[in-house]
């Protein structure tokens, strides 16, 4: 990690993987490797976090009918909060058929958040601020969160809310407010 940060500060493009729960969490991971916050701030250009969600089988996906649980209703409200034009009422469910071996899913799709390290984020890193504060700043600057990207797949009818709940944890700081 020290060598990668040094090389990045010398102008070398360094692409690396770090185990972190979010793009903002990469900063804390680098700090955990003993890299000083000013050095992290000057060497990072961006961070990306990703997960894979299963995509609905086109042969058996169905529009959900009936009432929604409180959690599903909350997720539908989240979709409307960042994507007002989405038809959040159009929620699909995985039924299962011969084509998908009765799983309801066929294939995977990536959901990700990309956090450019802007001057504002760099200042927070230098100050040693928390992952939560860095994440909030990135969202305020327009970053689409991992959860929002997953919920966008729900709004597009490509996956289910149950799959989002399984794969993308609600870390408690996804949406400002």
């Amino acid at each position: 990690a020290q060598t990668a940060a040094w090389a990045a500060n010398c102008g070398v493009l360094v692409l690396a993987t770090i185990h972190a729960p979010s793009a903002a969490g990469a900063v804390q991971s680098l700090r955990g490797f003993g890299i000083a916050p000013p050095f992290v701030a000057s060497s990072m250009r961006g961070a990306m976090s990703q997960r894979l969600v299963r995509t609905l089988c086109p042969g058996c996906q169905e529009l959900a009918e009936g009432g929604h649980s409180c959690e599903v209703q909350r997720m539908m409200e989240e979709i409307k909060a960042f994507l007002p034009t989405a038809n959040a009422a159009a929620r699909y469910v995985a039924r299962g058929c011969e084509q998908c071996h009765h799983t309801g899913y066929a294939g995977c799709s990536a959901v990700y958040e990309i956090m450019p390290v802007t001057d504002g984020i760099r200042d927070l890193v230098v100050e040693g601020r928390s992952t939560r504060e860095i994440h909030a700043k990135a969202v305020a600057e327009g970053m689409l969160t991992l959860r929002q990207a997953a919920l966008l797949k729900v709004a597009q009818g490509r996956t289910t809310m149950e799959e989002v709940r399984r794969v993308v944890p609600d870390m408690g700081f996804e949406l400002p407010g």
Side-chain angles (χ1 to χ4, degrees):
Q2 294 283 349
T3 303
W6 179 82
N9 272 322
C10 291
V12 175
L13 176 62
V14 177
L15 303 175
T17 60
I18 295 177
H19 181 73
S22 67
V27 172
Q28 185 61 35
S29 292
L30 288 171
R31 289 181 198 158
F33 285 124
I35 301 173
F39 207 57
V40 171
S42 64
S43 61
M44 280 186 75
R45 299 293 173 259
M48 180 177 113
S49 181
Q50 72 170 7
R51 302 285 187 283
L52 292 176
V53 295
R54 296 177 295 174
T55 54
L56 284 164
C57 173
C60 64
Q61 73 179 34
E62 289 182 6
L63 201 54
E65 295 180 17
H68 304 296
S69 70
C70 291
E71 185 177 8
V72 168
Q73 189 63 36
R74 184 178 61 85
M75 291 172 85
M76 292 167 79
E77 290 169 8
E78 282 183 64
I79 293 170
K80 282 291 194 186
F82 76 92
L83 191 63
T85 60
N87 184 6
R91 183 175 74 90
Y92 290 90
V93 293
R95 290 292 178 216
C97 65
E98 292 292 326
Q99 184 178 339
C100 64
H101 305 288
H102 301 285
T103 64
Y105 298 96
C108 291
S109 180
V111 293
Y112 50 88
E113 65 183 15
I114 298 174
M115 182 187 77
V117 178
T118 62
D119 289 339
I121 290 173
R122 193 169 282 111
D123 290 344
L124 293 177
V125 173
V126 168
E127 294 169 11
R129 297 293 184 90
S130 71
T131 298
R132 181 179 296 270
E133 291 171 295
I134 293 167
H135 183 89
K137 178 69 172 173
V139 168
E141 291 180 352
M143 180 182 79
L144 190 68
T145 69
L146 196 59
R147 185 167 175 88
Q148 288 171 332
L151 290 172
L152 181 58
K153 300 274 187 192
V154 171
Q156 294 168 338
R158 297 185 63 200
T159 194
T160 64
M161 289 190 182
E162 292 76 20
E163 180 68 358
V164 169
R165 188 180 316 119
R166 183 183 76 82
V167 174
V168 182
D170 184 357
M171 292 184 282
F173 58 85
E174 289 293 342
L175 295 173

